[in-house]
Amino acid sequence: MKIVSFFSRYSFAVLVFLFGFGCTNYSTTASVQAPPTLISITNNGNSNFTIKVRAQNPEFIFQGYRLYSGISEKEVQNPTDLNLGTDCVLASSTIVQPVEYTFEIDPSQKDNATGVSCRIFATLTPGTYIAMRTLGLAVNLQNSNSSFKVSPSSNALIVP
């Protein structure tokens, strides 16, 4: 009886001690998101393209994807400025299995077509290259700033 009484009276203090002072396994480095894999790109006509992407993003910091386009594979996979891509912000996801996304790339401001995960408002030119990176939310608790942290690059595809 006295053991039960001790834990019920002091359970809060014990929990604070164990978790507040006993936990030293935390990190101050940002989580790295897994890069997506570009499966295919299809030209739908009128500067409209459909991209199939396979990705796995179980972390709660997952925000979406950033598309890069350029004249070479090296340029799209290693841009001079990681902020120069075009974003597609998706709803947060708790998915832990790989998912196949369908993105539509179109310069017009139309709504998503049926079955399209996200529309990216960009203009692509046949013969150029594309690559994508995953966007993760990076929060700095010291100054209350937040920004996107990007993953390593995906593979590159040539625009048909």
Side-chain angles (χ1 to χ4, degrees):
M1 279 304 240
K2 292 185 181 196
I3 293 173
V4 173
S5 174
F6 172 80
F7 284 120
S8 64
R9 277 192 197 164
Y10 300 106
S11 62
F12 179 72
V14 170
L15 287 174
V16 168
F17 177 76
L18 289 175
F19 293 113
F21 300 109
C23 181
T24 59
N25 297 329
Y26 58 88
S27 174
T28 58
T29 59
S31 174
V32 176
Q33 295 285 332
T37 301
L38 303 182
I39 299 171
S40 66
I41 181 168
T42 307
N43 188 339
N44 300 330
N46 298 328
S47 300
N48 184 318
F49 296 87
T50 301
I51 298 177
K52 297 278 187 189
V53 176
R54 188 99 167 139
Q56 179 177 347
N57 297 292
E59 295 89 0
F60 68 93
I61 63 171
F62 168 72
Q63 298 295 303
Y65 298 96
R66 183 169 287 161
L67 176 75
Y68 298 92
S69 63
I71 59 171
S72 71
E73 184 176 357
K74 183 179 178 184
E75 181 182 332
V76 296
Q77 290 184 323
N78 302 299
T80 55
D81 185 357
L82 292 175
N83 296 316
L84 293 179
T86 307
D87 294 346
C88 173
V89 178
L90 296 171
S92 292
S93 174
T94 57
I95 298 169
V96 294
Q97 296 298 317
V99 175
E100 188 171 295
Y101 291 106
T102 302
F103 295 105
E104 195 166 37
I105 294 149
D106 192 347
S108 68
Q109 300 290 322
K110 297 186 293 187
D111 291 334
N112 286 356
T114 305
V116 173
S117 303
C118 191
R119 179 181 291 269
I120 300 174
F121 302 109
T123 302
L124 296 179
T125 305
T128 59
Y129 290 80
I130 61 165
M132 293 183 97
R133 292 175 184 253
T134 301
L135 297 174
L137 184 63
V139 178
N140 185 336
L141 297 177
Q142 293 177 340
N143 59 14
S144 299
N145 285 340
S146 64
S147 61
F148 286 134
K149 178 170 174 42
V150 295
S151 73
S153 182
S154 69
N155 58 314
L157 293 177
I158 299 175
V159 178

